[in-house]
Amino acid sequence: MIVGRKKIWLGAAASLMAVASLAAGVLRPDRISPGEARSRASHTEARPAAAATTAHGGAVDCGELRCIALTFDAGPGKDTPELLDLLKKEQVPATFFLLGENHVLKHPKTVRRMATEGHELANHTWSHRILTDLDAEGIRTELARTQDAVERVTGRKPTLMRPPQGRTDREVARVSRELGLAQVLWSATAKDYSTTDSALITRRILDAADRDGIILLHDIYDGTVPAVPGIIAELKRRGYTFVTVPQLLAPGVAEPGAVYKP
């Protein structure tokens, strides 16, 4: 009887663990690192590999180089043209996760300039709603409206999105997949929404920077753009090559619905 009861208990425990595992999957889709994305592509012959090039046409191999991706959320804003001037001068490509309402619509010339100068344009929702708080239709509206707004300005819909606060789940992944959007998180953030101290922003990013990293900044806060020159200069000194997120994953291609995080 003891053995029988033990078997019953173990079976029940295994069932509970399976349920917990399933629940965890519902709450947090699996993450794919840039290195994993590149590795999967190198072992897949079903489709041609994507070429990774810089904004100025040079070849990039992030399997060999110390690559890092500079990304900016929630813009464009009043300081974004100054940021674009700097990126152009330093020949640094970036990925911009754009807000639709009061940003893409308010600054279409800046958005068009981003695309023209070789930066990657991505989706950060319409109004910065937390997507995991919404039903499927709400998620779809937040993402699709920004998709349409960027397409009207540039002629091309984004293929990447970043969920506000990094909050995602299976439903967000499902809707993202329907809209052709891969999800991109980050490995380094300065929490620049909480400080105007440019030196602190610079230090926080440099402390967290690493190979295959994705840096999160916001081009809408007063302390951020002034911090970027120091960040770029020091990371170049350390031997990093700046790339967009798609370049970081190449020859892999971001899969709609998947979540990418270093």
Side-chain angles (χ1 to χ4, degrees):
M1 285 297 295
I2 294 176
V3 173
R5 287 177 182 175
K6 185 176 182 181
K7 287 183 178 178
I8 292 171
W9 183 88
L10 289 172
S15 298
L16 287 172
M17 288 177 65
V19 170
S21 177
L22 178 61
V26 170
L27 291 175
R28 201 189 87 159
D30 291 338
R31 270 65 163 161
I32 302 169
S33 72
E36 289 169 338
R38 294 193 299 267
S39 178
R40 290 181 185 186
S42 67
H43 291 89
T44 301
E45 300 179 358
R47 66 182 179 198
T53 59
T54 67
H56 301 276
V60 175
D61 182 354
C62 291
E64 298 293 334
L65 299 173
R66 288 169 59 84
C67 290
I68 198 163
L70 197 57
T71 74
F72 296 91
D73 281 14
K78 62 180 178 60
D79 296 328
T80 307
E82 178 185 347
L83 173 61
L84 291 173
D85 289 342
L86 170 67
L87 296 176
K88 185 175 183 179
K89 176 184 175 183
E90 296 293 333
Q91 297 191 357
V92 169
T95 303
F96 289 89
F97 291 88
L98 306 173
L99 278 178
E101 188 178 30
N102 298 324
H103 293 273
V104 172
L105 297 185
K106 187 176 181 180
H107 303 283
K109 290 183 179 179
T110 301
V111 173
R112 197 172 296 115
R113 179 184 172 189
M114 290 174 179
T116 299
E117 295 184 358
H119 302 291
E120 184 73 18
L121 274 57
N123 190 325
H124 196 44
T125 75
W126 182 254
S127 60
H128 211 262
R129 296 283 302 278
I130 302 302
L131 296 181
T132 52
D133 291 343
L134 304 177
D135 61 15
E137 189 55 37
I139 297 167
R140 189 173 293 106
T141 297
E142 279 288 310
L143 294 173
R145 291 185 74 181
T146 299
Q147 290 289 89
D148 293 342
V150 173
E151 184 181 33
R152 284 197 299 272
V153 173
T154 68
R156 180 174 175 268
K157 288 186 178 182
T159 60
L160 307 176
M161 80 87 157
R162 176 168 285 157
Q165 297 184 10
R167 297 192 190 183
T168 186
D169 57 19
R170 294 293 185 188
E171 189 70 355
V172 174
R174 185 182 68 79
V175 175
S176 298
R177 184 166 55 251
E178 289 178 5
L179 296 174
L181 289 165
Q183 304 179 74
V184 178
L185 302 183
W186 59 89
S187 58
T189 178
K191 298 183 178 180
D192 50 353
Y193 50 80
S194 64
T195 181
T196 59
D197 186 338
S198 297
L200 177 59
I201 292 170
T202 300
R203 185 165 65 252
R204 285 175 172 173
I205 292 300
L206 295 178
D207 286 348
D210 204 354
R211 182 175 182 173
D212 278 355
I214 299 177
I215 295 171
L216 166 60
L217 292 167
H218 298 79
D219 47 327
I220 58 171
Y221 298 122
D222 290 342
T224 302
V225 172
V228 174
I231 292 170
I232 290 176
E234 176 58 21
L235 290 179
K236 281 186 173 182
R237 189 192 69 78
R238 295 181 187 180
Y240 284 96
T241 297
F242 287 94
V243 293
T244 64
V245 170
Q247 291 166 351
L248 188 65
L249 305 181
V253 177
E255 297 287 350
V259 179
Y260 293 87
K261 182 184 186 302

